Amino acid sequence: MKRAEEFEELRPLLFSIAYRMLGSVSEAEDAVQEAWLRWEASPTRPASVKAFLSAVVTRISIDVLRSARVRREEYVGPWFPEPLLTDPYQDPERSAELADSLSMAALLLLERLSPLERAVFVLREVFGFGYQEIALAVDRSEAACRQLAMQARRHMDAGRPRFKADRKEREELAGRFFDAFKEGDIDRLRELLSADVHIVGDSGGKAPQWEPVIVGAENVAQLLATLIPAFVRIGGVVEVHEVNGQPGAIFRDRDGKVVNTWALDIVDGQIQAIRSVMNPDKLRHMGPVADAWAITREADQARRTTD
């Protein structure tokens, strides 16, 4: 098999490793491309191409994380990962771990880890790499990698919700939520939201948004019930879609351009969080992006006309 063919077979895995480490589709794609260039230029053939390329993309991602720290500290408002609609890497034996590790909540927990802890956790807990392979990837001893894995698991477990709905329950509840949302049914919305639900938006200062964080079932229900009528009136569409392995939606304008995405956190039978990504820079990989400022002005005008 030619090098290019071997690489293409492993591309989904390499992208999935890089995305979970970086939380960015564009940066993950760049890391995979750089891994290809290094593989193409390598004069020798490793015993395991998978281990070699996984190590290369991991090291590249660690370097990117270290250089990105200052940028993220200076980011305007809440920072969320770039939304991913489909994970290119599929493994039926690890499907549950893959889906959970892709969620916005899990990726935000990973942000609390050091780059090395993050790399070890992703390789070990998500993709099931052995400690020998991980040690080679991060240039540490196996004993050090075990310690890093233990620290990372402790941090991740401390931040995870205690109760989780299974996939079928999440999808069913999300369906009822979006039905109520589209109908502007505030009473049904209120029933589906946890008492301490919060809705948070990542605009990066480049798109309009409501308050940085809105908390409480009544406040969130009121906001949701007022959002959709004007948006639909100007031709907007709410497309229910899995986002980062969890129930969510893509909002599009009348021309099909992406306005923003929502990802839902569902815990113990209720919606605990709604995370919206509005920063146009984080949506471009999904296709043409709408002018959110213009849409907001048009929706406000439609709302005033109705009122």
Side-chain angles (χ1 to χ4, degrees):
M1 186 182 295
K2 296 180 180 179
R3 286 196 178 198
E5 293 172 342
E6 290 178 303
F7 186 86
E8 288 306 314
E9 282 191 0
L10 290 167
R11 182 186 288 274
L13 170 64
L14 301 178
F15 173 86
S16 294
I17 291 172
Y19 176 78
R20 283 166 174 80
M21 289 187 62
L22 300 172
S24 165
V25 173
S26 54
E27 288 180 344
E29 289 174 343
D30 289 345
V32 172
Q33 181 61 25
E34 178 62 25
W36 158 249
L37 294 175
R38 296 187 188 184
W39 167 233
E40 187 181 35
S42 176
T44 59
R45 179 180 178 79
S48 169
V49 176
K50 175 184 173 182
F52 173 82
L53 287 172
S54 298
V56 170
V57 84
T58 297
R59 291 174 196 151
I60 293 169
S61 298
I62 289 172
D63 289 342
V64 173
L65 277 178
R66 287 169 174 162
S67 65
R69 182 164 295 174
V70 173
R71 293 203 309 273
R72 293 188 184 178
E73 288 174 353
E74 296 174 348
Y75 193 80
V76 177
W79 180 95
F80 291 158
E82 292 180 9
L84 187 67
L85 302 184
T86 305
D87 187 358
Y89 179 72
Q90 302 295 324
D91 181 350
E93 293 184 2
R94 305 190 66 83
S95 59
E97 294 96 331
L98 289 170
D100 286 346
S101 67
L102 196 64
S103 71
M104 288 279 182
L107 293 174
L108 288 170
L109 283 176
L110 282 171
E111 283 290 307
R112 303 179 186 180
L113 306 182
S114 71
L116 279 177
E117 287 175 336
R118 191 164 182 166
V120 172
F121 183 88
V122 167
L123 292 176
R124 179 64 182 175
E125 301 299 321
V126 180
F127 295 100
F129 279 68
Y131 281 109
Q132 184 177 12
E133 294 173 303
I134 297 171
L136 291 172
V138 301
D139 195 25
R140 294 293 188 276
S141 68
E142 289 187 44
C145 288
R146 291 179 187 276
Q147 181 68 24
L148 286 165
M150 183 177 68
Q151 293 169 357
R153 277 195 298 270
R154 186 165 61 244
H155 288 307
M156 295 294 287
D157 289 343
R160 283 189 174 124
R162 186 176 298 177
F163 305 104
K164 296 186 67 176
D166 67 28
R167 192 176 191 85
K168 185 176 180 181
E169 290 174 345
R170 289 199 305 260
E171 290 174 352
E172 190 274 335
L173 190 147
R176 289 191 284 128
F177 167 78
F178 281 113
D179 285 344
F181 174 59
K182 291 176 183 179
E183 294 167 10
D185 190 331
I186 193 168
D187 292 328
R188 286 169 59 201
L189 285 169
R190 204 183 287 118
E191 292 174 359
L192 297 170
L193 302 172
S194 68
D196 59 349
V197 65
H198 55 282
I199 182 168
V200 190
D202 172 352
S203 71
K206 298 182 179 182
Q209 70 172 68
W210 48 87
E211 295 296 320
V213 184
I214 296 175
V215 180
E218 184 62 34
N219 293 331
V220 172
Q222 291 282 357
L223 172 67
L224 297 180
T226 59
L227 278 178
I228 192 64
F231 183 67
V232 171
R233 200 170 298 122
I234 64 172
V237 175
V238 182
E239 179 183 307
V240 178
H241 200 292
E242 192 172 86
V243 177
N244 284 80
Q246 307 296 314
I250 305 167
F251 289 67
R252 299 183 185 274
D253 70 3
R254 64 169 65 90
D255 298 318
K257 295 179 180 179
V258 179
V259 179
N260 68 338
T261 63
W262 280 12
L264 309 182
D265 280 1
I266 297 175
V267 180
D268 200 20
Q270 291 184 304
I271 294 170
Q272 187 178 67
I274 302 170
R275 294 187 174 90
S276 174
V277 176
M278 298 168 281
N279 185 339
D281 295 342
K282 294 187 175 184
L283 302 172
R284 299 193 195 286
H285 64 281
M286 298 169 57
V289 179
D291 182 345
W293 297 101
I295 287 173
T296 299
R297 289 192 296 270
E298 188 177 358
D300 286 344
Q301 179 62 42
R303 190 179 298 114
R304 286 194 295 270
T305 301
T306 303
D307 295 342

